[in-house]
Amino acid sequence: MENTNPFLVERMQAHRTSIFGRMSGLANEFGAINLGQGFPDTDGPEFVRQAAIDAISAGRGNQYPPVHGVPELRQAIASHQQSFYDMDVDWQTEVVVTTGASEALQSTFLALIEPGDEVLIFEPWFDIYQTGVALARGITVGVPMDPETLRPNVSELESRITSRSKVLLLNSPHNPTGIVFTRTELQTIAATAIKHNLIVVSDEAYQHIWFDNHAHIPIATLEGMHDRTVTIGSAGKSFSFTGWKVGWAIGPSELIAAVRTVRQHLTYVSSGPFQWAIAEGLQLEDSYWSEFRTEMQAKRDLLSSGLSHLGYRVIPSEGTYFVCTDIRPLGYFSGTEFCETLIREHGVAAIPLSGLSGNASTYNHFVRWAFCKKPEVLNDALSRLAKKTVT
Ligand SMILES: *Cc1c(COP(=O)(O)O)cnc(C)c1O
């Protein structure tokens, strides 16, 4: 790799650049349509936006809000978990509001991981997991998803457990693969966690973005799992306000107390008025969520069928903002090379899965595309891709 930065701590040297930074930089340079980074190009509900404006005008949250989150938001998070998943959550002791799901993840890692502790993570993975574990001086242990189907090999989990295994990081609906873990897969994971006394950190940022009949199941609702699970949510993803950075962690009071201890010393508080707005958003009628899903599913269908027509092998997306394709049918074998060519020659950016894995060569033939964009943008991208074949 390139020379090191003499000022940066050793454990972060390998993480100086991210695949997103690199591809977005190239995309800007070539004026490409960016289907690499996963953020919607349509803002969330007008009602929620107005609630934020009202909160600012009325002076709600313009000064430091309560350290663990405004009570109204914590109550709304608790009743939302109750109504969707029948989870009993005590809003006073079992919820902490964070600066997005990102801070919930980082403070959980810093709170739970001792130097040398091992964290099992299905790979490919969302890139901040690995850096978060490194910051906490833990060790990431990858559990590879199947290189053909991208389904999790849950039976391989057991073989990767050692006496230092402490945390199992789960993410479903899964970024980058678009896979939603089935109840059977979750049951195997739960049984392994219980057998080896692991804490499960369950990143459920896409809890409301699943398609067809692939309904999201929080692993904390499985038998024996409540007491050992930290469940993480993201209002940015659930409401299409990714810039607001409102997230949360939910779990048994002792685990949440540990997360709170660290988090209060990171940002102390954040997102003042937005906390009030999300509290109102969480009380939207169920129809909001089903309409949101229907709309996202139509975008998934548009991009997936377009890519399939162009000759890619499409791994069906069951949730999230993303669909993955195998590029080998187009005669390509290196995702990185392919994505660079795509930007230069077609003006479309995507992300190679090899950049989201500790085992690049295993996923070299996969590319991730974001479909959380306006249909006209997706159509434009597809027609750019069709113009000149990449072989
Ligand atoms: C976007 C994302 C996050 C971070 O969510 P924020 O609320 O924006 O911090 C966490 N996990 C996954 C899997 C994500 O895709």
Side-chain angles (χ1 to χ4, degrees):
M1 69 175 248
E2 318 118 64
N3 30 356
T4 52
N5 179 331
F7 297 105
L8 184 66
V9 290
E10 201 264 322
R11 63 188 185 282
M12 293 307 287
Q13 292 286 354
H15 304 290
R16 279 179 300 135
T17 54
S18 82
I19 189 69
F20 297 107
R22 197 154 115 236
M23 290 301 164
S24 289
L26 263 184
N28 283 339
E29 192 182 321
F30 287 86
I33 297 176
N34 196 343
L35 303 186
Q37 252 174 345
F39 58 87
D41 60 359
T42 313
D43 284 346
E46 172 61 31
F47 164 80
V48 180
R49 199 177 349 169
Q50 191 58 49
I53 294 167
D54 293 346
I56 292 172
S57 302
R60 284 193 295 270
N62 290 334
Q63 306 303 329
Y64 294 136
V67 59
H68 303 309
V70 304
E72 285 77 359
L73 176 55
R74 284 188 278 147
Q75 285 158 5
I77 292 166
S79 50
H80 176 265
Q81 295 299 106
Q82 177 78 58
S83 69
F84 278 90
Y85 314 113
D86 205 17
M87 281 168 81
D88 278 321
V89 178
D90 178 345
W91 70 270
Q92 306 219 51
T93 59
E94 298 184 327
V95 183
V96 59
V97 174
T98 60
T99 309
S102 306
E103 194 199 28
L105 285 160
Q106 304 300 4
S107 18
T108 303
F109 293 149
L110 289 168
L112 304 180
I113 299 168
E114 295 284 8
D117 280 349
E118 293 176 359
V119 180
L120 297 141
I121 310 181
F122 287 100
E123 67 172 310
W125 46 50
F126 181 51
D127 62 341
I128 71 169
Y129 300 155
Q130 209 196 354
T131 46
V133 171
L135 275 176
R137 298 173 191 274
I139 294 165
T140 293
V141 176
V143 183
M145 294 170 97
D146 187 280
E148 289 301 317
T149 63
L150 292 178
R151 286 225 76 87
N153 281 326
V154 287
S155 55
E156 283 195 23
L157 204 49
E158 185 83 33
S159 69
R160 288 182 167 67
I161 293 190
T162 73
S163 58
R164 292 309 304 263
S165 305
K166 174 96 179 263
V167 170
L168 191 158
L169 188 106
L170 179 67
N171 167 223
S172 180
H174 186 266
N175 174 10
T177 63
I179 294 293
V180 176
F181 287 53
T182 63
R183 183 173 289 278
T184 312
E185 286 162 348
L186 292 173
Q187 278 164 340
T188 308
I189 293 167
T192 312
I194 292 167
K195 181 173 168 199
H196 297 282
N197 198 26
L198 305 175
I199 297 166
V200 172
V201 177
S202 186
D203 177 353
E204 303 183 11
Y206 296 100
Q207 67 189 96
H208 286 297
I209 312 181
W210 49 266
F211 311 123
D212 309 314
N213 55 346
H214 302 285
H216 170 63
I217 304 167
I219 195 166
T221 61
L222 269 52
E223 205 182 330
M225 290 308 293
H226 170 267
D227 290 352
R228 61 177 68 252
T229 304
V230 177
T231 301
I232 288 169
S234 166
K237 299 291 162 66
S238 287
F239 290 102
S240 306
F241 286 117
T242 57
W244 288 12
K245 297 302 287 189
V246 179
W248 51 82
I250 303 164
S253 57
E254 256 190 315
L255 271 175
I256 292 304
V259 176
R260 285 177 170 185
T261 302
V262 169
R263 202 216 56 82
Q264 68 188 343
H265 298 298
L266 295 180
T267 57
Y268 178 47
V269 294
S270 61
S271 312
F274 298 123
Q275 292 195 35
W276 293 89
I278 296 301
E280 295 203 30
L282 285 169
Q283 293 164 53
L284 282 170
E285 287 163 22
D286 288 5
S287 60
Y288 162 70
W289 307 100
S290 50
E291 280 163 25
F292 178 45
R293 267 203 303 277
T294 305
E295 213 172 287
M296 200 61 83
Q297 185 164 321
K299 294 174 180 180
R300 172 202 68 167
D301 292 344
L302 173 58
L303 187 62
S304 305
S305 68
L307 290 170
S308 171
H309 275 114
L310 290 170
Y312 296 84
R313 183 171 73 94
V314 175
I315 306 299
S317 168
E318 301 171 344
T320 73
Y321 289 156
F322 309 109
V323 61
C324 289
T325 59
D326 184 345
I327 56 174
R328 288 172 300 186
L330 297 188
Y332 267 80
F333 295 89
S334 160
T336 313
E337 214 177 282
F338 176 82
C339 286
E340 284 171 4
T341 308
L342 212 59
I343 293 173
R344 287 176 213 278
E345 295 185 5
H346 291 260
V348 177
I351 296 287
L353 282 204
S354 57
L356 300 172
S357 160
N359 210 341
S361 61
T362 312
Y363 304 102
N364 235 345
H365 52 289
F366 283 114
V367 167
R368 188 197 80 169
W369 313 77
F371 50 72
C372 50
K373 308 291 176 186
K374 294 190 185 91
E376 56 268 34
V377 173
L378 298 175
N379 277 321
D380 188 7
L382 286 167
S383 60
R384 288 181 182 208
L385 291 173
K387 266 198 186 118
K388 185 166 142 222
T389 37
V390 196
T391 39

